[in-house]
Amino acid sequence: MSGLVSVVLTTFNRPNLLARALRSVVNQSYENWECLVIDDASEKPVGHIVDSFDDERIMYHRHEKNHGLSAARNTGLQIASGSMVAFFDDDDEWLDTKLEKQVRCLEQADPGVALVYCWMQVVKEGEIFDTRCPKLRGDIFQHTLDRQPLGNGSTWLLRRSAVLEEGGFDESLDRGIDGDLLRRLCRTYKVDYVADCLVRYHIGHGNERITRSDREGLENALAGKSKKLEKFKKELD
């Protein structure tokens, strides 16, 4: 049996989507995982949805106050037991061989590889709207400075020790948190990928609170850009 994967599944006010996400974890062909469901103080607790799966590998943790996605992911990161960690948003969906193929790739990779990503399908109203198939591997730091060039965080499998070494997710950011962690990791580590669409990224279901384009969403985006200029001033200069 290969190493334990800690799946950190974050959820907030979307109980109708959580069941689908959990089902795609339970259906993984790779079975050596634990799933930490981090409920970031949803208005209606979702513990009963977790209990309905009756799987001892799934554990439920609830924040009493809403702290945001970064904090929810960090909670899961701190209590995780696995040597590998996979972050999973509640509105995404994994194909059955996602973990199996990524674990194989990461365990066979050079120790300097801290992240393996896969490709993803963008799905709207049940139809494939787009596909994201980046082909970056190795030292990709220069490609991360102006953008987040990989698929979203649900497409990643990471060495947990490397994420902890970088301090996890920046809880002062409300937007751009995947790109921020990726840049910090890629200053030191390399990446690899599985050339297969193994994640479905669902859009158009509303309540997309992080990437919204209202005033608050745009202010969060600008704050994230400013933080990047501060953190990576030397490299950007």
Side-chain angles (χ1 to χ4, degrees):
M1 178 68 73
S2 294
L4 176 66
V5 176
S6 294
V7 179
V8 177
L9 201 173
T10 49
T11 187
F12 176 72
N13 280 351
R14 297 194 286 209
N16 56 317
L17 301 177
L18 177 60
R20 180 182 65 195
L22 273 172
R23 192 173 302 111
S24 74
V25 176
V26 171
N27 289 340
Q28 289 297 300
S29 58
Y30 187 84
E31 297 181 345
N32 191 18
W33 53 261
E34 62 177 7
C35 183
L36 309 168
V37 178
I38 311 299
D39 177 5
D40 195 23
S42 296
E43 295 173 7
K44 294 183 178 180
V46 296
H48 66 286
I49 296 175
V50 176
D51 292 341
S52 70
F53 282 85
D54 192 27
D55 191 318
E56 62 182 12
R57 295 173 296 177
I58 304 175
M59 291 156 276
Y60 175 62
H61 300 265
R62 174 176 165 81
H63 286 171
E64 293 306 314
K65 294 183 179 180
N66 180 263
H67 296 291
L69 180 59
S70 289
R73 287 180 174 177
N74 284 341
T75 294
L77 180 65
Q78 292 298 325
I79 62 179
S81 302
S83 60
M84 294 168 283
V85 60
F87 299 100
F88 194 14
D89 296 337
D90 60 3
D91 55 342
D92 294 334
E93 186 180 6
W94 286 350
L95 273 66
D96 294 355
T97 57
K98 194 262 188 190
L99 290 181
E100 178 186 348
K101 291 181 176 180
Q102 287 188 304
V103 168
R104 184 185 307 125
C105 181
L106 187 57
E107 291 191 335
Q108 292 176 354
D110 182 277
V113 172
L115 183 154
V116 169
Y117 66 95
C118 63
W119 296 345
M120 71 181 189
Q121 301 169 337
V122 182
V123 179
K124 185 175 183 180
E125 297 177 352
E127 300 291 331
I128 298 174
F129 180 76
D130 193 9
T131 56
R132 306 280 171 82
C133 304
K135 298 178 181 179
L136 296 171
R137 60 162 43 103
D139 179 3
I140 70 163
F141 177 66
Q142 63 178 340
H143 298 285
T144 70
L145 282 171
D146 63 336
R147 60 196 174 98
Q148 202 283 75
L150 309 184
N152 76 354
S154 294
T155 69
W156 301 355
L157 178 71
L158 307 103
R159 297 193 196 277
R160 180 167 167 262
S161 59
V163 183
L164 289 171
E165 181 182 301
E166 291 298 329
F169 292 90
D170 186 340
E171 297 183 17
S172 71
L173 294 176
D174 291 310
R175 189 159 166 174
I177 64 175
D178 286 350
D180 175 73
L181 177 62
L182 182 66
R183 277 184 288 275
R184 287 185 281 124
L185 280 171
C186 288
R187 279 192 295 201
T188 305
Y189 294 99
K190 300 175 183 178
V191 307
D192 205 343
Y193 68 93
V194 174
D196 210 346
C197 284
L198 300 173
V199 173
R200 293 193 179 111
Y201 173 51
H202 293 271
I203 63 173
H205 48 69
N207 197 25
E208 291 152 338
R209 60 187 180 126
I210 293 176
T211 55
R212 67 193 190 206
S213 296
D214 60 8
R215 182 182 181 88
E216 184 179 352
L218 294 174
E219 287 176 347
N220 289 341
L222 288 171
K225 296 292 186 183
S226 297
K227 204 73 175 286
K228 179 171 72 172
L229 294 175
E230 294 172 10
K231 286 185 177 182
F232 302 94
K233 183 179 187 303
K234 178 180 177 182
E235 292 86 353
L236 289 166
D237 283 347

